[in-house]
Amino acid sequence: MGKKLPIVIWGNPVLKMKAKEITEVDDELRQLAEDMFETMRADNGVGLAGNQVGVLKRIFVVEVPKKDAPSQRFVILNPVITKRSKIKETQEEGCLSFPGIWGPVERSCEVEVQGIDLEMKPVTITGDGLVARAIQHELDHLDGIVFVERMSMLNRTMLNKKLRELAKKTKASLTRA
Ligand code: ZN
């Protein structure tokens, strides 16, 4: 069984760091994957990356519920996007590390991602719609890139005040801890 982990919020430097390749799958990592699923579900997210629970390892989980077909659930380690459609679409996007912040982000409609699973076996996953969006969003996290950086300058500027306030609040709580 997984347990809910605290989610890292914007203002914490770990969200701007690059996660490291995974070379070994052990019980600790398998537990982390379970905990990440639990954490994501508890907050109704569709994806969660290692950085977001303070673990700088190249792992992310995706779970898109059935009502948002096509439904998909997977965990992937050391993911690399191997194909992306030239066709893109813009949709409102949010992130569990940015509570209350939403904005339009342009993403490829369809992607293929390759990596390894928890048995260290190679996996290839293709996704479109919300799954494709989640894959691109989570892979960015592992490279220290957050979704607001993918917004147009105008949209990002409109969120600047909220982002600054969120970061300030997080930094204050980090110094207290
Ligand atoms: Zn996110």
Side-chain angles (χ1 to χ4, degrees), residues 29 33-34 36-37 59-62 73-77 116-118 123 125:
L29 193 77
E34 280 307 305
M36 285 172 71
F37 274 114
I59 175 172
F60 71 72
V61 295
V62 165
R73 177 194 196 268
F74 62 88
V75 49
I76 190 164
L77 319 177
I116 52 174
D117 64 15
L118 290 174
V123 281
I125 290 154

Short mmCIF file of all heavy atoms in Angstrom, two decimals, residues 29 33-34 36-37 59-62 73-77 116-118 123 125:
data_model
loop_
_atom_site.label_atom_id
_atom_site.label_comp_id
_atom_site.label_asym_id
_atom_site.label_seq_id
_atom_site.Cartn_x
_atom_site.Cartn_y
_atom_site.Cartn_z
N LEU A 29 12.48 1.99 -4.02
CA LEU A 29 11.97 2.62 -5.23
C LEU A 29 10.55 2.14 -5.56
O LEU A 29 9.70 2.93 -5.97
CB LEU A 29 12.92 2.38 -6.42
CG LEU A 29 12.62 3.27 -7.63
CD1 LEU A 29 13.14 4.68 -7.42
CD2 LEU A 29 13.19 2.68 -8.89
N ALA A 33 7.16 4.44 -5.83
CA ALA A 33 6.19 4.45 -6.93
C ALA A 33 4.77 4.32 -6.37
O ALA A 33 3.87 5.07 -6.76
CB ALA A 33 6.49 3.32 -7.91
N GLU A 34 4.56 3.40 -5.42
CA GLU A 34 3.24 3.24 -4.79
C GLU A 34 2.80 4.52 -4.09
O GLU A 34 1.67 4.96 -4.22
CB GLU A 34 3.28 2.10 -3.75
CG GLU A 34 3.20 0.71 -4.35
CD GLU A 34 2.00 0.55 -5.27
OE1 GLU A 34 0.87 0.82 -4.81
OE2 GLU A 34 2.19 0.18 -6.44
N MET A 36 3.79 7.49 -4.71
CA MET A 36 3.53 8.56 -5.69
C MET A 36 2.13 8.42 -6.29
O MET A 36 1.43 9.41 -6.48
CB MET A 36 4.60 8.57 -6.78
CG MET A 36 5.93 9.16 -6.28
SD MET A 36 7.28 8.99 -7.46
CE MET A 36 6.77 10.16 -8.74
N PHE A 37 1.71 7.18 -6.57
CA PHE A 37 0.34 6.97 -7.06
C PHE A 37 -0.67 7.46 -6.03
O PHE A 37 -1.63 8.16 -6.34
CB PHE A 37 0.09 5.48 -7.36
CG PHE A 37 0.52 5.07 -8.75
CD1 PHE A 37 1.56 4.17 -8.93
CD2 PHE A 37 -0.14 5.57 -9.87
CE1 PHE A 37 1.95 3.78 -10.22
CE2 PHE A 37 0.24 5.17 -11.16
CZ PHE A 37 1.29 4.28 -11.33
N ILE A 59 11.84 9.43 -12.31
CA ILE A 59 10.65 8.58 -12.22
C ILE A 59 9.42 9.46 -12.29
O ILE A 59 9.40 10.55 -11.72
CB ILE A 59 10.65 7.75 -10.90
CG1 ILE A 59 9.36 6.95 -10.73
CG2 ILE A 59 10.89 8.63 -9.68
CD1 ILE A 59 9.36 5.97 -9.54
N PHE A 60 8.41 9.02 -13.04
CA PHE A 60 7.11 9.67 -12.91
C PHE A 60 5.99 8.66 -13.05
O PHE A 60 6.17 7.58 -13.60
CB PHE A 60 6.95 10.89 -13.84
CG PHE A 60 6.81 10.65 -15.31
CD1 PHE A 60 5.66 10.11 -15.85
CD2 PHE A 60 7.83 11.04 -16.18
CE1 PHE A 60 5.51 9.94 -17.22
CE2 PHE A 60 7.71 10.87 -17.55
CZ PHE A 60 6.54 10.31 -18.08
N VAL A 61 4.83 9.03 -12.51
CA VAL A 61 3.64 8.19 -12.61
C VAL A 61 2.56 9.00 -13.32
O VAL A 61 2.52 10.23 -13.23
CB VAL A 61 3.12 7.73 -11.22
CG1 VAL A 61 4.13 6.83 -10.54
CG2 VAL A 61 2.77 8.91 -10.32
N VAL A 62 1.73 8.27 -14.06
CA VAL A 62 0.60 8.90 -14.75
C VAL A 62 -0.62 8.02 -14.51
O VAL A 62 -0.52 6.80 -14.55
CB VAL A 62 0.88 9.03 -16.28
CG1 VAL A 62 -0.41 9.33 -17.05
CG2 VAL A 62 1.93 10.10 -16.55
N ARG A 73 -2.58 4.09 -16.99
CA ARG A 73 -1.93 4.16 -15.69
C ARG A 73 -0.58 3.50 -15.83
O ARG A 73 -0.49 2.35 -16.25
CB ARG A 73 -2.78 3.39 -14.66
CG ARG A 73 -2.17 3.32 -13.27
CD ARG A 73 -2.90 2.25 -12.44
NE ARG A 73 -2.63 2.41 -11.02
CZ ARG A 73 -1.63 1.77 -10.39
NH1 ARG A 73 -0.84 0.92 -11.04
NH2 ARG A 73 -1.44 1.96 -9.09
N PHE A 74 0.48 4.21 -15.51
CA PHE A 74 1.81 3.59 -15.59
C PHE A 74 2.82 4.37 -14.76
O PHE A 74 2.62 5.53 -14.41
CB PHE A 74 2.30 3.49 -17.05
CG PHE A 74 2.46 4.81 -17.74
CD1 PHE A 74 3.65 5.53 -17.65
CD2 PHE A 74 1.42 5.36 -18.49
CE1 PHE A 74 3.80 6.76 -18.30
CE2 PHE A 74 1.55 6.59 -19.13
CZ PHE A 74 2.75 7.28 -19.03
N VAL A 75 3.92 3.64 -14.45
CA VAL A 75 5.08 4.29 -13.84
C VAL A 75 6.23 4.05 -14.81
O VAL A 75 6.33 2.97 -15.41
CB VAL A 75 5.37 3.72 -12.42
CG1 VAL A 75 5.39 2.21 -12.41
CG2 VAL A 75 6.69 4.26 -11.88
N ILE A 76 7.05 5.05 -15.01
CA ILE A 76 8.18 4.89 -15.94
C ILE A 76 9.44 5.50 -15.33
O ILE A 76 9.38 6.53 -14.65
CB ILE A 76 7.84 5.48 -17.33
CG1 ILE A 76 8.91 5.11 -18.37
CG2 ILE A 76 7.60 6.98 -17.29
CD1 ILE A 76 8.48 5.29 -19.81
N LEU A 77 10.56 4.80 -15.52
CA LEU A 77 11.85 5.25 -15.02
C LEU A 77 12.73 5.64 -16.20
O LEU A 77 12.66 5.03 -17.27
CB LEU A 77 12.55 4.13 -14.23
CG LEU A 77 11.68 3.29 -13.31
CD1 LEU A 77 12.52 2.17 -12.68
CD2 LEU A 77 11.04 4.13 -12.23
N ILE A 116 12.20 2.46 -18.64
CA ILE A 116 12.16 1.12 -18.05
C ILE A 116 11.07 1.09 -16.98
O ILE A 116 10.68 2.11 -16.44
CB ILE A 116 13.52 0.70 -17.46
CG1 ILE A 116 14.08 1.76 -16.51
CG2 ILE A 116 14.53 0.41 -18.57
CD1 ILE A 116 15.35 1.33 -15.78
N ASP A 117 10.59 -0.13 -16.72
CA ASP A 117 9.57 -0.28 -15.68
C ASP A 117 10.21 -0.76 -14.38
O ASP A 117 11.44 -0.82 -14.27
CB ASP A 117 8.43 -1.21 -16.15
CG ASP A 117 8.91 -2.65 -16.39
OD1 ASP A 117 10.02 -3.00 -15.94
OD2 ASP A 117 8.17 -3.42 -17.02
N LEU A 118 9.39 -1.10 -13.40
CA LEU A 118 9.92 -1.48 -12.08
C LEU A 118 10.61 -2.85 -12.09
O LEU A 118 11.20 -3.26 -11.09
CB LEU A 118 8.81 -1.44 -11.03
CG LEU A 118 8.31 -0.04 -10.65
CD1 LEU A 118 7.11 -0.12 -9.72
CD2 LEU A 118 9.41 0.81 -10.01
N VAL A 123 10.26 -0.29 -21.68
CA VAL A 123 8.85 -0.07 -22.02
C VAL A 123 8.72 1.09 -22.99
O VAL A 123 9.51 2.04 -22.97
CB VAL A 123 7.97 0.27 -20.78
CG1 VAL A 123 7.62 -0.97 -20.02
CG2 VAL A 123 8.61 1.30 -19.89
N ILE A 125 5.60 3.59 -24.32
CA ILE A 125 4.21 3.98 -24.07
C ILE A 125 3.84 5.11 -25.03
O ILE A 125 4.62 6.05 -25.20
CB ILE A 125 4.03 4.44 -22.60
CG1 ILE A 125 4.16 3.23 -21.67
CG2 ILE A 125 2.68 5.12 -22.39
CD1 ILE A 125 4.62 3.56 -20.28
#
